[in-house]
Amino acid sequence: AVKLVESGGGSVQAGGSLRLSCAASDSLSSMGWFRQAPGKEREGVAMIDADGTTYADVVKGRFAVSRDNANAKNILYLQMNSLKPEDTAMYYCAQISLWVGYDPHLTEYKYWGQGTQVTVSS
């Protein structure tokens, strides 16, 4: 089974930055991140595949997804800048099976990790 392990979450003030990392046991296509806040639906945040990167409108211009597959590493990153309190959520690394651009809550995932908490205070 594919194993995904996230790290890098934490607490930051509004306007601050964090970089999340995800170590994958295998090289996977269409990787990305989703988040889920208490009482809310999962929300696709960003995806990277052979065609490039795609972002949910709410994070465009602030978040950047990248990956490092050099030397047999399978690491996914999410650089988060200009963080807002509404970005507070558990963030999950995932293999994305279907990206739904018009509604990130409908994006589907095949595998995901245990998550890392991001808390942004005002």
Side-chain angles (χ1 to χ4, degrees), residues 21-38:
S21 299
C22 170
S25 59
D26 294 289
S27 178
L28 303 172
S29 61
S30 301
M31 295 292 295
W33 297 86
F34 70 88
R35 65 188 182 186
Q36 188 166 23

